[in-house]
Amino acid sequence: MTYVVTEKCIMCKYADCVEVCPVDCFYEGENMLVINPSECIDCGVCVPECPIDAIEAESEDNLKCGLKLIMNFPASGLISHKISQQWQKQKNIGI
């Protein structure tokens, strides 16, 4: 099970989650971050670091929410491998 970034992240520019990610699986779009599920190692260290509680374990409910995001916010979109490949990778700058 991977982790996903929910719609709470739209227009949020905190990057605390990126800082702690050991595999640099976060990507930045125009107005939110996403996690590439094929790079995420399911460690969960990003979850408590998110100050707005926008990161959750992948579930059927938040995948449905992602489909709504694609329709309403095409620049944001579903947290997926395809979308994250289009966005700039965010790197951990060291801890």
Side-chain angles (χ1 to χ4, degrees):
M1 169 177 52
T2 189
Y3 288 88
V4 295
V5 181
T6 66
E7 72 275 2
K8 293 178 187 177
C9 185
I10 295 173
M11 301 305 289
C12 172
K13 286 297 181 179
Y14 291 110
D16 304 40
C17 50
V18 175
E19 299 295 322
V20 298
C21 181
V23 294
D24 297 330
C25 66
F26 282 87
Y27 291 77
E28 184 177 14
E30 185 177 323
N31 59 7
M32 72 181 286
L33 295 169
V34 295
I35 294 172
N36 183 324
S38 66
E39 295 178 9
C40 178
I41 59 171
D42 310 330
C43 66
V45 297
C46 58
V47 176
E49 295 300 318
C50 179
I52 58 167
D53 297 323
I55 302 172
E56 299 176 359
E58 182 180 63
S59 71
E60 192 171 310
D61 286 342
N62 59 29
L63 289 177
K64 287 178 185 174
C65 177
L67 291 174
K68 290 179 189 171
L69 279 173
I70 265 188
M71 293 175 196
N72 296 322
F73 300 98
S76 303
L78 179 64
I79 293 46
S80 70
H81 179 73
K82 183 177 179 183
I83 297 295
S84 63
Q85 285 186 330
Q86 297 171 5
W87 291 356
Q88 181 178 351
K89 187 171 191 129
Q90 298 299 294
K91 296 199 179 222
N92 178 332
I93 59 172
I95 295 176

